[in-house]
Amino acid sequence: MKPFEYLEHTADVKFRAYGRTPEEMLSNAAVALFGTMTDLSKVQTKETWKAELNAPDLEQLAYDWLSEIVFLFETESAVFSTFDVKLTRNEDWKLEAQIGGERTDPSRHTFDNEVKAVTLHEFEVKKNDKNDVWCLQAVLDV
Amino acid sequence: MTLNKIDENIYEVPQVYRPDMRVPGRIFVSETLLPMIEPGTIDQVANVATLSGIVKYSMAMPDAHLGYGFPIGGVAAFREDGGIISPGGVGFDINCGVRLLRSNLSYETVQPLISTLIDSLFNAVPSGVGATGRLHVTDQQLTEAFLEGAKWAVDQGYGVKDDLVRCEEFGSMKGADPSQVSIKARKRGRPQLGTLGSGNHFLEIQRVDEIFDEHVAKRFGLSKGQITVMIHCGSRGAGHQICTDHLEVLSRAVHKYCIDIPDKQLACAPIGTPEADHYFGAMVCAANYAWANRHIIAHWTREVFERYFSGAKLDLIYDVAHNVAKIEKHDVDGVIEKLYVHRKGATRSFGPSRSEVPEIYREVGQPVLIPGSMGTPSYVLCGTDKALGLTFGSACHGAGRVMSRSQALKTFTGQDIRAELSRIGIKVKATHPSMLAEEAPQVYKPSDEVVNVVHNLRIATKVARLIPLGVSKG
C-alpha cells in the first residue's frame, strides 16, 4: 500500500492518501500536503507541536486537520515532517497529534509550492470495503 | 456532449448537460481556444448553473480552466430573493487582483538599470512562502485595514489620497464586518501585510509596447515606450483563512437550509441569512486587506524608483479585483435587479454608463488590467457597456493555465526558464527558483488569443500591450 499519490490537476494539487487505519491515513495525508511544498528529507525533527481538534464526523475532522497544518506552517514559520495522530471517538471525533519539525530555515528549506488552503472540491474520506484501506482525497489551493 | 455555438466566440452548455441546471452555461471562447477547455471545466460551469437564484447564465471567460467549485474564469450572478452567496465563487485568495502604475520615465532611461531596480524591489517588497512583512501592525490597525482598506494605508502614510479614486471600490469596499474574521485569520494576516506572496504573484517592470486605442490610452495616461509597473497579489493568509473558516460554516448551512450542491466547494447560504451575511462581511474585510496590501507595495515601489531616478513619478492608473463577490444593480430583461455577482478569476469591466467607474474615466470606461505571466505580455483594456448585457460587466483575468504544476516541473527547470527569459531580455528574481518552472510562459494559454476574444466580443476593448522587462517573484 503506497502512503499517498499525487493526481493531475491543472492549477492546483490533488492527492489521495491511504492508511490501514484512519490515523495512518491522516498522517500520510499530512505528509502528502507538506511534501508538495518542500523536501521533507531536509526537515529535521527538532521541535514538537501539538494539535487537538474535535469534529462531528471523520471527514470534517480530516479537513480541519489538514487546514490546521497549513495554519501552523504559516503562523509558526515552521516546516513539519512527522505526524503522529491519535483518534478517539465518543459522541464526536477527537484528534490529538504530535507534529515533528523545525523552524523554517531559508538556507536549507526551499519551496516548490505554497499551500494557501485545503479546498472542499472532491474532498472525501472513505474506506474501501474490498481491501479495508482508508483513503482521503483532497485538492489543495496553491 | 457538444456545446452549442450561439455566436462567434460564444458557446452554450445546454441545460440537458445535467438535469438540475436552472440556466444554461455560456462559455466565451474562440474556436482556437475551445479545445483547451477541459471537460472538468465544463462540468464546473454546469455545476454552478444548478445553484438557486442564478440569473441568466453560468458563465466562463476565455481564460477559463479547472478550479474548485466555480471554474477559474467563472462568473455567476444571483438575485437577492432566492439567491445564494458562495465562497466557491470568490476563491481563497479573496481580492487577488492587479494594480498598474504608469511612470514619467522612458524605456531608454530605465533599461540600463533594470537589474538593479529588480534587485532593489525584491529587497523592498517581501515575497515568497511564509514571508512576513516589514510592518509592525497592531491588532487595532489590522481591524482598521479590514474596515478601510487602501484608505487606511493612505492614513498611515502609504501612497496619496489621489490614488484612491483610481481603485476599484476606491480601495475601500463597504460592508466590512471584522467581528466575522476569526483569530486564526488575524494571526495569519497581521504579519503578512505588505508582502507579495508566491506562486503566480509578481511585481513587474514593463514597457508599453503597443497602443491599440490612442484616445483611451491618452485618458489612461499611457504612451508607447513608457515604463509601467504591475503588481499582482491578494489578501494573503487573511483571505485564505477567512474563506476556510466560512466554508466550514456554509458546509453546515447547506444542510440547515436543505440546499443540494453538486460540489462541496459550492457550499453556500441563502442571501440574507446570518451565515451569508457573515461570510460577505468577512469577505469584504479580506478584499480591503488586499487593497491595503497592494497600496503599501506600490508605495515601496515608488520609493525604489525615486531612489534611482530623480523626479520619478509612478501614478496609479487603476487597481482591479479578480476574485470577489459584489452587490451590483443590473438590467435583467428590462428590470433593474440587485444582484450578487461572483467573479472568480474574472475582472469587472464596466463602461461609461456605470457610476462605479471613477469620474476621471467615465467618458471611456474603467481600465481592465490583464496580467500576462513571466515573459508574456500584459494588456490594458477598457470596460464597455456591451459587457453588461453579455457578462454582467465581466471580462477575463489572465491567460489561464493549460499545464498542471506537476507536468510543468517535469518539463521545465527554474534555471532553464530564467535563462530563456534572460535571453529575450527579461530579468527575473525569485525567492523560489523552482517555482519558475511552474509559472513558465508555456503553461499558460496564449494571452493575446484570450484578449482578442474579449476584444472581439467587445466586453472589453484593447488599449495597450505591455511587455515585461523585469520580474520580482516569490
Side-chain angles (χ1 to χ4, degrees), chain B residues 188-249:
Chain B
R188 280 177 81 174
R190 194 145 62 91
Q192 293 183 346
L193 207 47
T195 65
L196 202 58
S198 63
N200 62 2
H201 294 162
F202 62 74
L203 197 167
E204 193 170 90
I205 302 176
Q206 305 161 327
R207 169 166 67 104
V208 179
D209 167 64
E210 190 168 341
I211 299 285
F212 301 103
D213 186 326
E214 289 285 352
H215 175 70
V216 177
K218 205 168 168 192
R219 286 286 173 280
F220 290 173
L222 287 167
S223 56
K224 197 164 172 180
Q226 182 185 30
I227 293 293
T228 56
V229 178
M230 185 173 268
I231 299 164
H232 174 213
C233 61
S235 52
R236 310 290 290 109
H240 309 160
Q241 191 66 39
I242 282 170
C243 181
T244 300
D245 295 336
H246 286 270
L247 254 184
E248 201 160 335
V249 172

Side-chain angles (χ1 to χ4, degrees), chain A residues 8-12 59-60 64 68 73-74 111-114 116-117 119-121 123 141-142, chain B residues 38 44 65 68 92 129 184 188 192 198 240 248 251 263-265 401 403-406 434-435 438:
Chain A
E8 276 294 300
H9 193 285
T10 314
D12 298 297
E59 198 165 275
Q60 183 65 55
D64 291 346
E68 183 71 7
F73 157 66
E74 253 187 43
F111 292 92
D112 293 328
N113 276 310
E114 179 182 19
K116 294 180 182 143
T119 81
L120 280 175
H121 180 59
F123 191 89
D141 183 6
V142 297
Chain B
E38 310 106 316
Q44 289 182 334
H65 64 80
Y68 33 89
F92 287 95
V129 179
K184 276 185 160 173
R188 280 177 81 174
Q192 293 183 346
S198 63
H240 309 160
E248 201 160 335
S251 297
D263 181 339
K264 289 170 195 157
Q265 189 72 21
R401 289 188 77 97
M403 191 187 292
S404 72
R405 293 176 188 279
S406 56
S434 58
M435 287 205 207
E438 292 176 40

Side-chain angles (χ1 to χ4, degrees), chain B residues 150-151 154 160-167 170-171 295 316:
Chain B
K151 184 178 174 303
V154 170
V160 295
K161 211 166 162 195
D162 199 39
D163 287 337
L164 298 176
V165 296
R166 290 173 172 78
C167 200
F170 304 103
H295 211 80
L316 179 54

Side-chain angles (χ1 to χ4, degrees), chain B residues 294-314:
Chain B
R294 289 198 287 276
H295 211 80
I296 292 164
I297 291 172
H299 179 80
W300 289 334
T301 303
R302 282 171 170 153
E303 283 183 337
V304 167
F305 272 76
E306 282 159 13
R307 201 187 310 157
Y308 292 100
F309 304 104
S310 154
K313 279 174 31 107
L314 283 181

Side-chain angles (χ1 to χ4, degrees), chain B residues 346-377:
Chain B
T347 314
R348 195 187 73 180
S349 180
F350 278 178
S353 72
R354 298 291 303 208
S355 60
E356 293 95 335
V357 176
E359 257 187 72
I360 45 162
Y361 298 137
R362 194 88 48 82
E363 185 214 324
V364 295
Q366 69 161 89
V368 178
L369 309 172
I370 308 297
S373 61
M374 301 177 303
T376 63

Side-chain angles (χ1 to χ4, degrees), chain A residues 23-76:
Chain A
E23 285 93 340
E24 190 182 12
M25 172 193 72
L26 291 173
S27 178
N28 287 335
V31 172
L33 183 154
F34 227 88
T36 194
M37 288 203 282
T38 191
D39 181 354
L40 296 189
S41 70
K42 303 243 167 68
V43 178
Q44 296 164 25
T45 45
K46 292 180 182 168
E47 279 183 62
T48 308
W49 283 261
K50 289 197 181 129
E52 209 174 288
L53 306 162
N54 292 286
D57 57 67
L58 182 57
E59 198 165 275
Q60 183 65 55
L61 189 71
Y63 181 80
D64 291 346
W65 161 238
L66 294 179
S67 298
E68 183 71 7
I69 291 165
V70 175
F71 172 74
L72 286 172
F73 157 66
E74 253 187 43
T75 53
E76 296 290 307

